[in-house]
Structures are given as structure tokens and as C-alpha cells.
Amino acid sequence: MASAQPFRSRRRAFLRGAAAFGLGALASPALIGKAFSSSGQLNYLGWSGYDFSALFRSFTEKTGISINFIEQPDQDAMMAQARLAAQGVVADIAEPSIDRLPGWLEADLLQPWNDGSVSLDLYDKPFLTGSAMQGGRRYFLPVVWGAEAIAFARKSAPQSYGTASLATLFDEKYRGKVTLRPSTGLVAIGRLLEAQGKLPKPWLDGYKDEATMRQLWDLALSEAIRRKAMIGQFWSSENDALTAFRGKGCTLGLTWDTTAMALVADDVGFLAPKEGAFGWLQGYVLLKSAGNVEQAHEWARFIATPEASAAYASAFSANPVARGAADRLDAKLRDFNRATYPDDALSRIWWPPPQAPWFVALRSDYAQKWQAA
């Protein structure tokens, strides 16, 4: 997911609906057969702001393995903690987004998963992406996905699929009323410039080497600075994005789906732009220093069951990756997702390519330049 800290106290309501997901019977027969076959603890570096206690409790009841959930505010903190783990601080698994996997591999923090021990047949095949592999070994197991798309005030900035566009974010009639994350906003501009034939090379080429990135992002930054008056507030956390709509007068934005879900009661809608929403895919990596490898694989089998996958996605207000899990989502979340991705919107999702550490650092520099301009 995005790298800023989310604030999602509303997900505490997830516990009230836990029975709807059958959390008392989440494990498959094979997993139940292995109940208490392993014991001990799994140390899990995960995202802060969520309440997974019902899932963790069910997992412990079925396997005898307790979860030590170590909350992290963002992916940089997660990796920093993993580096400490390599020096003896206890941690077994972490949950970055797949586009950040190259940095973990470059830092030599990971060991591969054992494909024969993680029930790959339970996943929807598109999420078992080749980006998870290196040298024929799997270093990333998907757990939840979502997107950044267009959040809009239904009364003052109504949108409809097919006309809602990334370009809408820079329409003069919304001057000073737009909120977006600087890094994603620059990519949005880059994608628009490419569609208009204004780039010397494809936008994706900028992910391959630093010289090309600078060439393309310089153009995007120049255009972004020219349009900065459109921005009412930049956001870097979900709190910021919520405040933009609730307290800063913004009526349009490029936000996480989780943000838009929190704004439903504020009469804010959420819709994929015609160019395609910005997809994100989160998953598990197994630390090279892990002391509980068997327990990590037990968790991977558990969380890939349709029931557990749906419950986990519901806690995130996002989308599951296991086959059959979407049918088990809370009705409100299921309807929200269907409205967000009508017609061919799912097939148009723009998935960012893997991002090397040099790219992540340079992207941050460009985002700061836009904000400071």
C-alpha cells in the first residue's frame, strides 16, 4: 500500500461483524488437521492502525501459534525494523507492497518461501505475479490489494465512469479544491503527458534507469508546478486526506480506497479514472533472520483461505486475493468495490513496476520539490 501511516479506527467495527465471516471456523480441513502440529510464536511486522485480533485469535486456536504483531507506520519503518532483525532483533515476516520488493532483495533481508508449503492453489492467479520471483524462487506472497482513484464530493464535484479522468484533477473549476499525494500526483501527470504524446519516451522507461527517470520526471514536475494552484492540500497520510475533505474545503482528490470508504458518510464517492486506477498489492516477505519459518508458512496457509482472506481484506477496507474470498466480503465493502470498478475498470488498473531503492529516493526528492515550489 502507500507508505504513509493510515489512521483507521473505524475498522474496530470489523470485530463487531467478525461472526459474519465465520472466524471461528476459518481454517481449511488440512489446516485443522495440523492444529497444534507446530507451536510457539510468529513475529509479524505489519501496518499500524488496524485491529486483526479476531483473525489472530482464530489462528492461535487452530495452530497453537501466537502472533506478536509489531505495528509499523510505513514501509520505510518496516524495512528499518527488518534491518535490526538481521542484527538480532526478533522479527519473522513483514508486509511491504510488491513494488518495493527490489529494495528488500538488494538489502539481502529475505529468504524465499517454500512454494510447496503455502497453498498457491488458493490464490486468484493474477496476484501470483512474476514480480514476486527472483532466481526461480518466490519472495512475496500477496495478501490484499487496492488502489488510489478519484474521490469526489457527490454534490459539488459529481463524477461518472468513462468521463472521470486523471485530467479532471487539474480542471480549473476545481482550483484549490483538489487533494492528492505528491508522488502519485506526479505519476498521474506523467501518464497524462504520455497519453498526450508529450514525452520523449514511455513513462514506464523512467523506472529502468536514473537518467531516463530524471528526463521524464523533470517534465512532469514542470507541468505539476504550473498546476500547483489546483491543490488545496497535499496529503501524506490518511489523516491528511480525510482532513482535506472534512476541514480544508477539498471536493476532489486522488486518494486510497480506504480513505474514500471512511468518507462514505460524508457523501463522498470513489471511482476509477478512465485511464485506470493506481493499483497497490501488499504481501508477505520472509526475513532471512526469521527464527519461526514453519510458523510463518502456517500463517501463509491460513491467510490464503477464502474466509481469512475476506476477513483480512475487510479489516483493510480493501480487496482480497484468495479465490472465492470476494463473495465473502461485508456487503457494504462489496458494494463499494463494485461501484468503484464498473464495466472494464478492473482490467484498466495501472500497476506500478518494481521500484529500486534509487528510484524511491529520487521520487521522494521530486515530490518534495513540488511541495516546496
Side-chain angles (χ1 to χ4, degrees):
M1 188 177 169
S3 61
Q5 179 177 3
F7 177 80
R8 302 181 175 96
S9 61
R10 66 185 180 283
R11 287 174 181 73
R12 304 304 186 263
F14 162 67
L15 295 178
R16 297 196 294 272
F21 297 107
L23 294 182
L26 281 172
S28 65
L31 185 56
I32 293 172
K34 291 187 177 183
F36 300 99
S37 65
S38 61
S39 62
Q41 181 170 275
L42 178 66
N43 301 294
Y44 175 172
L45 296 172
W47 290 85
S48 61
Y50 300 90
D51 192 334
F52 301 119
S53 57
L55 270 173
F56 292 163
R57 185 167 56 250
S58 181
F59 176 68
T60 300
E61 290 171 355
K62 297 297 187 290
T63 66
I65 302 167
S66 61
I67 299 288
N68 177 28
F69 188 62
I70 309 163
E71 293 187 296
Q72 301 296 305
D74 55 50
Q75 298 200 66
D76 294 329
M78 206 175 287
M79 179 177 281
Q81 189 73 17
R83 290 181 186 275
L84 291 175
Q87 300 173 24
V89 177
V90 176
D92 300 309
I93 64 173
E95 191 181 350
S97 58
I98 196 168
D99 55 302
R100 299 290 289 271
L101 182 61
W104 290 77
L105 292 170
E106 184 175 302
D108 195 27
L109 294 171
L110 307 180
Q111 60 177 299
W113 292 95
N114 181 347
D115 277 3
S117 298
V118 292
S119 303
L120 295 178
D121 59 313
L122 292 178
Y123 292 92
D124 272 328
K125 298 306 180 187
F127 298 112
L128 296 175
T129 168
S131 300
M133 310 291 288
Q134 177 167 292
R137 306 298 301 275
R138 188 177 310 279
Y139 287 86
F140 179 95
L141 287 171
V143 65
V144 68
W145 73 272
E148 284 182 59
I150 295 177
F152 60 95
R154 294 185 183 277
K155 293 180 180 178
S156 55
Q159 306 293 322
S160 58
Y161 186 67
T163 57
S165 167
L166 297 176
T168 308
L169 297 165
F170 306 101
D171 190 317
E172 278 293 326
K173 65 183 177 182
Y174 301 117
R175 175 181 284 265
K177 296 183 178 182
V178 175
T179 185
L180 45 73
R181 190 165 54 147
S183 57
T184 312
L186 285 166
V187 177
I189 289 175
R191 291 175 61 192
L192 285 170
L193 291 175
E194 180 180 31
Q196 295 165 2
K198 296 180 179 179
L199 294 182
K201 297 177 181 178
W203 180 252
L204 288 177
D205 283 2
Y207 292 79
K208 298 176 181 178
D209 64 85
E210 185 172 332
T212 303
M213 182 192 180
R214 288 184 182 277
Q215 180 185 24
L216 299 179
W217 282 63
D218 281 349
L219 294 171
L221 178 60
S222 176
E223 185 69 14
I225 291 173
R226 189 174 72 83
R227 298 169 180 253
K228 189 180 179 185
M230 301 300 304
I231 311 303
Q233 178 173 304
F234 287 112
W235 63 265
S236 61
S237 71
E238 187 161 283
N239 262 349
D240 295 340
L242 293 173
T243 299
F245 277 91
R246 291 172 172 167
K248 299 294 185 180
C250 290
T251 59
L252 191 70
L254 190 62
T255 76
W256 290 325
D257 34 16
T258 55
T259 303
M261 187 72 178
L263 290 168
V264 168
D266 299 271
D267 204 20
V268 171
F270 193 61
L271 189 62
K274 65 181 182 181
E275 298 88 355
F278 293 80
W280 54 263
L281 177 64
Q282 269 174 216
Y284 296 119
V285 294
L286 180 61
L287 301 188
K288 200 171 189 177
S289 57
N292 300 294
V293 174
E294 179 183 350
Q295 289 85 346
H297 283 81
E298 194 98 44
W299 172 257
R301 289 191 293 272
F302 171 84
I303 203 64
T305 61
E307 297 84 359
S309 181
Y312 189 90
S314 294
F316 260 94
S317 290
N319 302 281
V321 298
R323 288 188 295 111
D327 295 333
R328 293 172 167 83
L329 289 176
D330 171 81
K332 289 183 179 179
L333 178 58
R334 186 173 63 244
D335 292 346
F336 174 84
N337 289 335
R338 287 173 178 170
T340 299
Y341 308 107
D343 302 330
D344 62 346
L346 284 175
S347 66
R348 290 179 175 271
I349 291 177
W350 189 86
W351 297 100
Q355 298 168 26
W358 64 262
F359 180 95
V360 175
L362 197 53
R363 179 186 63 185
S364 179
D365 288 345
Y366 275 97
Q368 291 173 16
K369 288 177 182 178
W370 187 13
Q371 288 178 276

